[in-house]
Amino acid sequence: MNKLIIVLALFSLWSCSGSSERLPILGERDTVKKMVDGKEVVDTVYHTIPDFKFVNQEGDTVSAQNFNDKIYVADFFFTTCPTICPVMKKQMKKVYEKFKGENEVAILSHTIDPEHDTPAVLKEYAKDLGVSGTQWMFVTGNREKIYEIGEKQYLVVAGADSTAPGGYIHSGAFVLVDKQKRVRGMYNGTDEAGTQRLIADIERLRKEYKDEKQ
């Protein structure tokens, strides 16, 4: 499917995500047949974020296992970005402050300029933002792996582009991922309205899990 069509479809989902009690599950899905109590039933297999290995601002290896039993927000940026990244980080800081100290919620920011954005650079960047600890991780790693997980798994644009300001192009989206590694929402990370919708939807997801336990 053409990427533009995918993006337009996702925007339509963003605009109506608040219309139902449960958040939608985004991305492609498959159906599989299986036997349950001797009967054949059809089950839905949703798009999920696969395992990955990157390195965070502390120099530690980070994988999908670090986000087990967590709701997390992912985005893509680079520290020398001259356009939307400073705005995105200002907005993401509001998400961080809202859920700071909550073990159930995490943030994962991927640099798309791994040659420049070493763990040391990312650590200084986090410090300048007023971020401590690893609830909000800034990660670097193999360039192609970062671009691949961005475009194929998180469903956003992320890559090098010599014609773009700073030499890279990336989405301004914040991507909400649930505890099953499913994409549950995408939000405009460059404005206040998108950020506040994200915060509200994180709370909705937390309520979903709380209700399931009761």
Side-chain angles (χ1 to χ4, degrees):
M1 185 182 291
N2 183 286
K3 281 185 179 179
L4 177 59
I5 296 174
I6 294 174
V7 171
L8 289 174
L10 289 174
F11 265 110
S12 70
L13 283 170
W14 299 352
S15 64
C16 65
S17 64
S19 62
S20 61
E21 185 176 344
R22 292 176 67 88
L23 295 175
I25 299 173
L26 306 185
E28 295 182 359
R29 60 193 66 185
D30 293 318
T31 56
V32 296
K33 294 180 179 179
K34 62 182 181 180
M35 299 300 293
V36 177
D37 296 330
K39 295 182 179 180
E40 184 178 78
V41 297
V42 177
D43 196 13
T44 303
V45 179
Y46 294 99
H47 171 83
T48 58
I49 306 300
D51 196 16
F52 53 80
K53 280 189 170 57
F54 298 118
V55 179
N56 70 9
Q57 69 267 34
E58 299 297 333
D60 298 325
T61 297
V62 176
S63 73
Q65 281 67 47
N66 289 87
F67 299 89
N68 285 349
D69 203 35
K70 291 182 184 293
I71 295 164
Y72 74 95
V73 183
D75 74 335
F76 292 79
F77 80 110
F78 58 109
T79 62
T80 58
C81 173
T83 55
I84 64 173
C85 296
V87 179
M88 291 174 67
K89 290 298 165 278
K90 180 180 178 181
Q91 293 298 331
M92 189 70 89
K93 180 74 180 295
K94 296 175 183 178
V95 181
Y96 171 73
E97 294 292 349
K98 174 67 177 180
F99 298 103
K100 189 175 182 180
E102 299 285 347
N103 291 331
E104 189 181 24
V105 181
I107 302 172
L108 179 62
S109 291
H110 310 70
T111 178
I112 56 172
D113 183 11
E115 284 74 20
H116 176 270
D117 292 344
T118 62
V121 170
L122 293 176
K123 186 169 184 176
E124 188 64 25
Y125 187 80
K127 180 181 177 182
D128 289 345
L129 279 173
V131 175
S132 59
T134 55
Q135 183 177 3
W136 184 352
M137 292 195 197
F138 299 81
V139 294
T140 187
N142 177 274
R143 174 196 289 258
E144 297 308 318
K145 294 293 185 183
I146 293 169
Y147 297 170
E148 180 181 9
I149 199 171
E151 297 196 347
K152 293 185 178 180
Q153 307 302 334
Y154 290 108
L155 313 176
V156 300
V157 175
D161 185 340
S162 60
T163 67
Y168 296 89
I169 186 170
H170 65 96
S171 167
F174 292 159
V175 183
L176 179 59
V177 182
D178 69 14
K179 294 181 181 183
Q180 284 73 45
K181 309 295 195 299
R182 302 172 302 190
V183 177
R184 300 297 296 272
M186 302 183 77
Y187 310 82
N188 185 346
T190 65
D191 70 16
E192 181 69 17
T195 302
Q196 292 305 316
R197 283 196 296 272
L198 169 59
I199 289 172
D201 282 355
I202 291 173
E203 295 286 20
R204 289 174 66 188
L205 259 187
R206 296 179 79 187
K207 185 177 185 302
E208 280 187 26
Y209 287 113
K210 183 178 179 180
D211 290 346
E212 286 174 1
K213 289 181 178 180
Q214 294 177 349

